[in-house]
Amino acid sequence: MELENNAYFWQKIDILLLSSDIIINRKKDSTHPVYNNLVYPVDYGYLKDTMLDTKEHIAIYRGSKKSLTVEAVVVCIDILKKDMEVKLLAGCTEKEELSILEFLNQTDFQKSIIVRRGHNIPKWASTN
C-alpha cells in the first residue's frame, strides 16, 4: 500500500509551525550532548508552544533556506529507548535533508525515514 500524502495533513503542520516559536538549543556543527561523535548537520530545536504526552516538545531541524516551509518530516525509531518520534524539517535543502537522515541513521539502535510533503488532496477528502 502506498502512503497517501494528504495536502490537508501538511496544511495542519504549517499552521502548527506558524503559530509556535522555534527554540534552537543545538546549533549546526555542535555535538550531541551524550554522543560526542554525533555532529548536528543543521540547527536543531523544538516548537516552544507544543507539548507531547511525554512532556517533550515537537522537535524541529531548521535548514539554511529563508523559507520556513516544512517540506518533510523524519520518523525515528529508537530500540534502546523503545521510542518513536516524528521531527519536522523546516527550510531544509535536499542536501540538508539527506545529511539529517545520515545523522539519524549512524547508530544500529536508531533508524529513520523521511516522509516528503505531498500536495494531493485525496478523493475521500474532497467536499465536492
Side-chain angles (χ1 to χ4, degrees):
M1 183 172 142
E2 186 175 317
L3 174 69
E4 186 166 43
N5 215 331
N6 184 334
Y8 290 135
F9 170 80
W10 295 97
Q11 178 189 53
K12 300 306 178 222
I13 289 179
D14 290 339
I15 292 168
L16 183 66
L17 179 66
L18 293 171
S19 64
S20 302
D21 292 328
I22 298 173
I23 305 299
I24 300 298
N25 57 359
R26 298 192 185 115
K27 292 293 221 178
K28 177 182 177 178
D29 297 326
S30 66
T31 57
H32 189 279
V34 177
Y35 305 104
N36 293 331
N37 60 320
L38 301 179
V39 178
Y40 286 88
V42 298
D43 290 343
Y44 177 77
Y46 60 91
L47 300 182
K48 181 180 178 186
D49 304 324
T50 61
M51 190 70 69
L52 304 173
D53 288 343
T54 58
K55 306 295 183 216
E56 293 183 19
H57 299 278
I58 295 174
I60 185 168
Y61 287 94
R62 189 175 194 300
S64 61
K65 288 182 178 178
K66 293 198 185 287
S67 154
L68 265 186
T69 303
V70 176
E71 290 296 331
V73 297
V74 288
V75 180
C76 308
I77 300 292
D78 187 323
I79 59 170
L80 287 181
K81 294 191 316 186
K82 294 187 176 184
D83 186 31
M84 179 176 146
E85 297 178 10
V86 176
K87 301 172 187 229
L88 306 178
L89 278 62
C92 295
T93 64
E94 283 187 43
K95 184 177 178 181
E96 288 170 333
E97 286 179 2
L98 292 176
S99 294
I100 292 164
L101 195 58
E102 288 173 7
F103 170 76
L104 292 170
N105 282 301
Q106 290 181 62
T107 166
D108 289 335
F109 305 110
Q110 176 176 295
K111 293 300 173 193
S112 303
I113 61 167
I114 289 182
V115 178
R116 287 189 170 44
R117 186 180 193 113
H119 300 284
N120 296 326
I121 298 174
K123 289 180 186 176
W124 60 262
S126 177
T127 57
N128 294 336

